[in-house]
């Protein structure tokens, strides 16, 4: 076992972490701002990949798919919020959870009916094929591109939430919706937009994953589990938490792959159990007040 | 009934009695099974995972099995009886499969069971049929079904890992080859790995790395640095279904194919269709069936033609063909036995020689393994494909031979 191999393994882990952050972001945003545990997250991720496939088929371009599919599915998410989730606000937090859980099944079946049960090819865009020499070894250009997109999305989110008036209102709204309403802010419109953004980012994750993992109706199942692990370790609803947790999980999976590969999936759940024991609210979690 | 007519005739018939009599006659006419009890329909139970990740392969199995049933009924049935296929969804779950099989036996009174697609689910079905002395033609890869799970009522129509890997290794490993294995961590992967290592030892190939990956893993990137640094010239990937397409795609993304050849135990038709041709290009693996066999084999041609005629010009796939050969060989034996009496059918199956899709086949007496041709396929480059279905080149079609199986005594049988 050479230093080079360990360095390469470490890098693979960080790269995997970036993918996991992308996978978890949508779930984390929707929970953090709206307090909704979105169990349809995995299904929406999958629907995003299929929407990407559809747009790429129509336009012949991956880039259009990357732009249009998340917007399409984000708008679809707004419809879900407006007509399915909004009537449930003010009721027990279990209600939206059960609703999204069922919605996930409906979406998977709908995709099976529309696109069939078989996996469908999704090519890596020509401009992003091939490998890059990192000095410690070669790494696929496409995966480096995904890391770049994740960094860009995180930056945009941070600027949007911390540096704009909109972000200020969203943060205030999530802290105390009642006061915001009294101050004359239309909270329901705000939540509609936030839910749409969360779902759109989830769909973007699906499109980005499509050239790496296969596109199939079941591709969201494992994604839901991965996203939960990252969100729970980071602390439900914390963006910096999701970033740190994604990287930690990625590196743990990668290092386990080197020494005990058959444990590579189980390690993330073991890690989650451990974090829950020592820090029940996750690394960056607030105490669960009011939820 | 005759008794009734006599008593009716001996006295004047009232209007009410006449009506009752007419109703009785009409009732008998509408219940033909009373009149033709001896020509009972032959019912074949068919559990298979219609839903879940192997749904594509399962639906192909059902279509092929239905073809075998249709062909039998078209020529007037088997031993003068009609044949019916009772398809059940086992949901790729051993418990579900056992329940469905039990139901098929107890409630639907089937005469035989054919089916299952996953090796673990197949063993659950086998346990139920074995306990109830029910004929079972199993159509999924397994070695243990020939050894510790053996049942005199079970016949194994699918290839087994020993013969698959023996033939694939013969055409892809060389003396001195350095092989790295990426193996799904469950029964199927373990049995394939064992078979490959057995074959590699005989050939003189050497194992340089052995990685077990979790079943259904989504990301393989973290296994790849170890594979690349192992110095292997062959990467042997032993997994099934979506895992196959996913792991090969990611290995190719990381440039594994530039350094080594990728070999798989079974090259899956549907998984090849799930990715672009250049991903699988050059990947070598085994198969029980490929439609392209029709160029050299008349029985494959007639199977394909019958399938095309029934299903709008589509072609049968590898795991689909098992549904056909499994049901068809069973029906041939029932015909020879003159009925569904299990002991007679077992004797007929043991003596059966059949060529219905892929050359000469017969069930070995000691372990009931179907001795059959094993194909070695290589995935074609896009420019070499003549049509969308022209996926593979047939590298070798090894005819049925006992030499690729473990001997009967090795398996613990007397003869």
């Amino acid at each position: 076992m050479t230093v080079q191999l360990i360095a390469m393994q470490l890098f693979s882990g960080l790269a995997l972490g970036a993918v996991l952050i992308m996978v978890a972001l949508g779930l984390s945003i929707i929970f953090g701002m709206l307090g909704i545990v979105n169990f349809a997250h995995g299904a929406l991720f999958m629907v995003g990949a299929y929407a990407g496939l559809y747009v790429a088929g129509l336009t012949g371009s991956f880039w259009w798919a990357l732009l249009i599919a998340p917007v399409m599915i984000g708008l679809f998410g707004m419809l879900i919020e407006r007509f399915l989730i909004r009537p449930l606000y003010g009721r027990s937090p279990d209600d939206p959870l059960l609703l999204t859980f069922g919605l996930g099944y409906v979406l998977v079946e709908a995709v099976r009916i529309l696109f069939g049960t078989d996996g469908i090819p999704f090519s890596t865009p020509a401009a992003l094929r091939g490998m890059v020499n990192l000095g410690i070894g070669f790494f696929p250009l496409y995966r480096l591109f995904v890391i770049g997109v994740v960094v860009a999305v995180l930056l945009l989110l941070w600027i949007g939430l911390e540096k704009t008036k909109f972000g200020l209102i969203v943060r205030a709204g999530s802290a105390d919706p009642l006061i915001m309403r009294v101050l004359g802010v239309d909270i329901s419109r705000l939540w509609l937009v936030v839910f749409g953004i969360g779902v759109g980012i989830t769909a973007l994750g699906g499109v980005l994953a499509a050239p790496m993992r296969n596109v199939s109706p079941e591709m969201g199942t494992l994604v839901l589990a991965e996203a939960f692990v990252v969100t729970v370790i980071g602390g439900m609803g914390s963006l910096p938490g999701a970033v740190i947790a994604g990287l930690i999980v990625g590196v743990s999976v990668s290092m386990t792959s080197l020494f005990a590969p058959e444990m590579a999936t189980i390690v993330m759940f073991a890690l989650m159990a451990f974090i829950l024991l020592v820090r029940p609210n996750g690394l960056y979690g607030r105490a669960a007040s009011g939820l | 009934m005759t008794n009734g007519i006599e008593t009716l005739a001996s006295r004047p018939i009232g209007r009410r009695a006449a009506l009752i009599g007419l109703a009785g006659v009409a009732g008998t006419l509408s219940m033909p099974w009373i009149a033709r009890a001896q020509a009972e329909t032959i019912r074949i139970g068919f559990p298979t995972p219609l839903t879940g990740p192997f749904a594509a392969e399962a639906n192909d199995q059902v279509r092929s099995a239905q073809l075998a049933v249709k062909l039998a009924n078209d020529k007037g049935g088997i031993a003068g009886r009609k044949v019916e296929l009772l398809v059940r969804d086992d949901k790729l779950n051993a418990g579900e499969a056992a329940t469905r099989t039990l139901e098929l036996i107890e409630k639907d009174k089937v005469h035989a069971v054919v089916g299952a697609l996953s090796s673990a689910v197949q063993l659950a079905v086998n346990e139920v049929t074995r306990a109830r002395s029910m004929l079972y033609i199993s159509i999924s890869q397994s070695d243990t079904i020939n050894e510790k799970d053996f049942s005199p009522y079970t016949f194994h129509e699918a290839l087994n890992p020993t013969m698959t890997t023996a033939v694939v290794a013969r055409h892809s490993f060389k003396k001195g080859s350095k092989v790295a294995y990426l193996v799904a961590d469950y029964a199927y992967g373990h049995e394939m790995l064992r078979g490959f290592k057995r074959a590699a030892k005989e050939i003189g190939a050497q194992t340089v790395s052995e990685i077990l990956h979790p079943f259904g893993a989504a990301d393989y990137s973290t296994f790849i640095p170890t594979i690349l640094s192992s110095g292997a010239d062959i990467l042997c990937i032993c997994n099934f279904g979506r895992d196959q397409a996913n792991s090969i795609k990611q290995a190719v993304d990381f440039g594994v194919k530039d350094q080594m050849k990728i070999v798989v135990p079974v090259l899956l038709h549907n998984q090849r269709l799930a990715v672009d041709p250049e991903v699988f290009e050059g990947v070598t693996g085994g198969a029980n069936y490929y439609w392209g066999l029709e160029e050299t084999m008349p029985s494959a041609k007639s199977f394909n033609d019958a399938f095309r005629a029934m299903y709008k010009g589509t072609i049968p796939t590898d795991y689909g063909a098992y549904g056909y050969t499994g049901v068809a060989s069973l029906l041939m034996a029932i015909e020879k036995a003159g009925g569904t009496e299990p002991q007679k059918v077992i004797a007929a199956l043991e003596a059966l020689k059949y060529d219905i899709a892929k050359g000469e086949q017969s069930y070995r007496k000691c372990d009931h393994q179907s001795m059959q041709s094993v194909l070695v396929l290589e995935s074609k480059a896009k420019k070499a494909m003549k049509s969308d279905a022209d996926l593979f080149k047939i590298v070798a079609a090894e005819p049925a031979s006992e030499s690729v199986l473990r001997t009967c005594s090795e398996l613990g049988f007397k003869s």
Side-chain angles (χ1 to χ4, degrees), chain A residues 152-173:
Chain A
V153 169
L154 284 170
L155 266 177
L156 279 175
L157 271 177
W158 181 74
I159 291 171
L161 281 173
E162 303 290 331
K163 303 284 171 197
T164 65
K165 186 160 174 265
F166 173 77
L168 187 67
I169 297 171
V170 168
R171 278 182 294 140

Side-chain angles (χ1 to χ4, degrees), chain A residues 109-160:
Chain A
E109 280 309 319
V111 165
R112 280 190 188 142
I113 291 166
L114 288 175
F115 293 90
T117 52
D118 298 2
I120 302 180
F122 196 122
S123 324
T124 313
L128 297 175
R129 277 180 213 173
M131 317 261 283
V132 177
N133 191 350
L134 297 175
I136 45 170
F138 287 85
F139 208 77
L141 178 59
Y142 184 76
R143 283 185 186 247
L144 296 176
F145 167 75
V146 171
I147 298 175
V149 174
V150 174
V151 171
V153 169
L154 284 170
L155 266 177
L156 279 175
L157 271 177
W158 181 74
I159 291 171

Side-chain angles (χ1 to χ4, degrees), chain B residues 1-10 25 28:
Chain B
M1 208 68 224
T2 48
N3 222 352
I5 287 168
E6 270 165 27
T7 42
L8 277 176
S10 65
V25 171
T28 318

